[in-house]
C-alpha cells in the first residue's frame, strides 16, 4: 500500500516539517535479526533537537536482562535491583521539543495512532508494527526528549526498574502540553486518537494518564510497569487500557499486575493479557491489539 509520509518537529506552534519518505522496522523484527540490527530510515529532511545524530539501532536490552530481579513470591511485591554506584553519573541530554514522524495512507480513516517508543528507539521504531495493527489509520511516531548514555528515552532511568520522579513529572507535563497544542492547532482529535506505547513509552503513557487525566481515552501499553512513586487521587473512568505483558519478560512482567491494579483502582476500564513472549514484540501483539481496537472503537464510554 503506497503511503505519503511527513516528518517534522512540533515547535510551540506545532508546524510540521517538509514532506519526506521513511521506512522503519519494529522491535519484533529487531528481535528476530539480533539486538544490534539496524533500523532502516531515510528522510528528505530531519533535525535532532539539542542532541547530535546517533546511530539508529534496535534497543539493547542486555543490560536490563543482566539486572533482572527474581520473580516475587506470592503476596510479595517484586524487589527492584540495587542502585548502581554510577547511576548519577549518566550522560543526560534534554531536547527542547519533540521530533515527530507522521505517515498517512492514501485511504486513511479519521483515526490517529500516536506511537511512543521504548528505550533506545525513536519516532520510526513502532511504525511497521502499527501499520500492521491499523493499516488505514494515520500513524504519528513521537521521539522522547531524553538521551541517556546515548539512548533515546522518555525520562531518566536510575536502574532497570527505578526512575527519576522529577523527570517523569516534567516530561509528562511537556507531553501533555504537546497534545494540548496539537488539539488547538487541529493536528489531533483526541476523540479519534489511540495511544500505543512500548516499555519506556508505555510507562510514560500510564504516568501521563494519572498525572494529566482526561487527555487519553484509549491506550495500548505493551510490556509496561508502574513508574510513579506517588499516584494522585484522580478518576480514569473515561479511559480504556489494554495491557500486554510477556510471560518470559522476567524484568518487567512481575510489575505489570501492580500497574493494572492502580489503573483499575482509579476507575479505568482495563483488559490485561499475558502472552508467551519476552520483552520483544511480535505477531501475537499485532493480533491482540488489532482485536482490542476493533472492540474499543465499537463501544464508547462517553
Amino acid at each position: 500500500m503506497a503511503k505519503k509520509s511527513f516528518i517534522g518537529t512540533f515547535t510551540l506552534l506545532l508546524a510540521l516539517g517538509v514532506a519526506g519518505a521513511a521506512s522503519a522496522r519494529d522491535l519484533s523484527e529487531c528481535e528476530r535479526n539480533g539486538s544490534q540490527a539496524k533500523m532502516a530510515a531515510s528522510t528528505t529532511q530531519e533535525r535532532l533537537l539539542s542532541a547530535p545524530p546517533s546511530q539508529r539501532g534496535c534497543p539493547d536490552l542486555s543490560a536490563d536482562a543482566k539486572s533482572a530481579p527474581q520473580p516475587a513470591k506470592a503476596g510479595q511485591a517484586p524487589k527492584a535491583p540495587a542502585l548502581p554506584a554510577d547511576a548519577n553519573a549518566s550522560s543526560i541530554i534534554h531536547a527542547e521539543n519533540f521530533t515527530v514522524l507522521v505517515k498517512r495512507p492514501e485511504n486513511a480513516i479519521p483515526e490517529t495512532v500516536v506511537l511512543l517508543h521504548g528505550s533506545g528507539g525513536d519516532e520510526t521504531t513502532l511504525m511497521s508494527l502499527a501499520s500492521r495493527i491499523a493499516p488505514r489509520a494515520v500513524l504519528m511516531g513521537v521521539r522522547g526528549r531524553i538521551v541517556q548514555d546515548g539512548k533515546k528515552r522518555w525520562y531518566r532511568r536510575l536502574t532497570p526498574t527505578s526512575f527519576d520522579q522529577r523527570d517523569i513529572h516534567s516530561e509528562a507535563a511537556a507531553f501533555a502540553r504537546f497534545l494540548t497544542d496539537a488539539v488547538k492547532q487541529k493536528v489531533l482529535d483526541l476523540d479519534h486518537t489511540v495511544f500505543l506505547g512500548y516499555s519506556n513509552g508505555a510507562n510514560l503513557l500510564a504516568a501521563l494518564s494519572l498525572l494529566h487525566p482526561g487527555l487519553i481515552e484509549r491506550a495500548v501499553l505493551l510490556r509496561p510497569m508502574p513508574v510513579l512513586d506517588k499516584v494522585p487521587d484522580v478518576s480514569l473512568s473515561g479511559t480504556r487500557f489494554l495491557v500486554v505483558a510477556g510471560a518470559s519478560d522476567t524484568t518487567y512482567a512481575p510489575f505489570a499486575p501492580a500497574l493494572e491494579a492502580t489503573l483499575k483502582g482509579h476507575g479505568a476500564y482495563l483488559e490485561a493479557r499475558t502472552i508467551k513472549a519476552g520483552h520483544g514484540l511480535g505477531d501475537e501483539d499485532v493480533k491482540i491489539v488489532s482485536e482490542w481496537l476493533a472492540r474499543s472503537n465499537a463501544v464508547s464510554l462517553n
Side-chain angles (χ1 to χ4, degrees):
M1 179 183 299
K3 294 184 178 179
K4 295 180 180 178
S5 302
F6 301 87
I7 186 161
T9 302
F10 271 94
T11 63
L12 291 179
L13 296 178
L14 288 164
L16 286 177
V18 179
S23 61
R25 294 180 182 173
D26 60 39
L27 288 172
S28 61
E29 291 171 325
C30 293
E31 290 284 323
R32 287 193 287 270
N33 296 326
S35 62
Q36 297 302 320
K38 294 180 180 178
M39 293 183 293
S42 61
T43 61
T44 56
Q45 189 176 64
E46 185 175 51
R47 183 164 64 95
L48 284 175
L49 300 176
S50 304
S54 60
Q55 181 180 9
R56 296 183 183 225
C58 300
D60 181 4
L61 299 176
S62 58
D64 290 357
K66 292 175 183 177
S67 304
Q70 295 298 318
K73 297 180 181 179
Q76 294 182 350
K79 293 183 179 180
L83 183 68
D86 62 347
N88 291 324
S90 296
S91 171
I92 303 291
I93 299 173
H94 284 71
E96 181 180 355
N97 299 312
F98 295 99
T99 297
V100 177
L101 171 64
V102 175
K103 299 183 77 172
R104 182 186 303 273
E106 290 184 350
N107 59 342
I109 59 175
E111 290 284 329
T112 300
V113 183
V114 178
L115 308 171
L116 279 70
H117 61 81
S119 177
D122 62 17
E123 68 278 11
T124 72
T125 308
L126 295 172
M127 283 287 178
S128 179
L129 184 86
S131 66
R132 295 169 60 198
I133 292 171
R136 294 185 58 198
V138 176
L139 305 180
M140 179 184 289
V142 187
R143 183 189 305 176
R145 302 194 307 171
I146 308 301
V147 178
Q148 180 176 14
D149 296 332
K151 291 185 177 181
K152 289 175 278 290
R153 297 179 51 83
W154 289 93
Y155 48 81
R156 179 171 175 258
R157 185 179 81 166
L158 303 177
T159 76
T161 54
S162 63
F163 312 95
D164 187 319
Q165 295 299 299
R166 180 179 296 180
D167 224 24
I168 293 170
H169 281 254
S170 64
E171 291 308 301
F175 197 65
R177 291 192 298 271
F178 165 85
L179 294 176
T180 301
D181 287 344
V183 171
K184 289 179 180 178
Q185 296 297 322
K186 297 184 179 181
V187 175
L188 278 179
D189 178 355
L190 294 181
D191 289 336
H192 294 279
T193 299
V194 61
F195 295 82
L196 187 152
Y198 167 68
S199 190
N200 188 239
N203 302 343
L204 190 279
L205 284 177
L208 175 68
S209 298
L210 292 162
L211 295 172
H212 302 274
L215 285 175
I216 293 178
E217 181 178 336
R218 293 170 294 158
V220 176
L221 310 179
L222 303 175
R223 314 299 189 269
M225 66 167 289
V227 295
L228 291 175
D229 289 348
K230 295 181 180 179
V231 178
D233 185 14
V234 296
S235 172
L236 299 178
S237 60
T239 306
R240 290 175 174 266
F241 290 99
L242 170 64
V243 176
V244 184
S248 301
D249 185 5
T250 56
T251 301
Y252 300 105
F255 294 87
L259 176 62
E260 295 160 11
T262 296
L263 297 176
K264 283 184 178 179
H266 285 76
Y269 179 88
L270 184 142
E271 180 177 336
R273 300 288 297 273
T274 299
I275 62 175
K276 293 181 180 179
H279 199 65
L281 305 177
D283 294 340
E284 188 68 11
D285 295 283
V286 172
K287 179 177 182 293
I288 290 172
V289 178
S290 298
E291 292 174 349
W292 181 82
L293 281 179
R295 296 195 302 272
S296 68
N297 283 333
V299 180
S300 175
L301 292 178
N302 300 323

